[in-house]
Amino acid sequence: MAKLGIKFPGSELDGREIPLNPGGELRIGRIAGNDLVLLDKMVSRTHAVIAGGPQGYVLTDLGSSVGTFINGTKVSLPVVLAEGDEIKIGEAVLCVRLEVSVPIPPKAVEVVAVADFAVPEVM
């Protein structure tokens, strides 16, 4: 399952992980009613949202006054999140951890052919 790791020094949220719902939304802001409440004066009341959809998880800034940043770049349009992205909202940094399915190579299998016909004897 995808999740966000929270780095928010001085907050009870520091070090916690928040799961992301593949078909849902995670609303982030400063006031109660958001799914993730960041008590920081740099965070807007309703700051940003992460929505899971067919293209992956998309981060949208909701017109915050200070802005939302991914890997140091200010977000102006919705952005599809990638493994390891760091979202900065106020003093909080949210680290994106996506479930990545890695194909497991098949084990080596010894194939033994079995013939269903009779082999004539050589004389």
Side-chain angles (χ1 to χ4, degrees):
M1 173 177 256
K3 57 191 167 191
L4 295 176
I6 302 173
K7 296 179 190 174
F8 195 7
S11 166
E12 65 183 33
L13 294 173
D14 190 44
R16 293 188 59 199
E17 292 182 337
I18 304 292
L20 294 173
N21 182 343
E25 291 185 343
L26 179 77
R27 294 195 158 275
I28 306 166
R30 190 180 68 232
I31 61 171
N34 287 293
D35 302 305
L36 177 57
V37 176
L38 301 173
L39 298 176
D40 179 345
K41 62 185 175 192
M42 301 288 287
V43 176
S44 294
R45 291 176 292 188
T46 54
H47 196 103
V49 65
I50 298 173
Q55 71 275 28
Y57 292 95
V58 177
L59 171 73
T60 304
D61 182 88
L62 298 175
S64 66
S65 55
V66 176
T68 302
F69 298 81
I70 294 183
N71 304 322
T73 302
K74 190 171 185 177
V75 173
S76 56
L77 297 172
V79 177
V80 177
L81 298 173
E83 171 68 25
D85 279 347
E86 291 194 343
I87 303 165
K88 186 160 180 20
I89 297 178
E91 293 299 318
V93 177
L94 310 175
C95 304
V96 178
R97 302 288 174 246
L98 301 177
E99 181 178 298
V100 180
S101 61
V102 178
I104 300 171
K107 292 182 180 178
V109 177
E110 184 178 331
V111 178
V112 178
V114 178
D116 57 90
F117 59 90
V119 177
E121 289 185 27
V122 177
M123 296 204 178

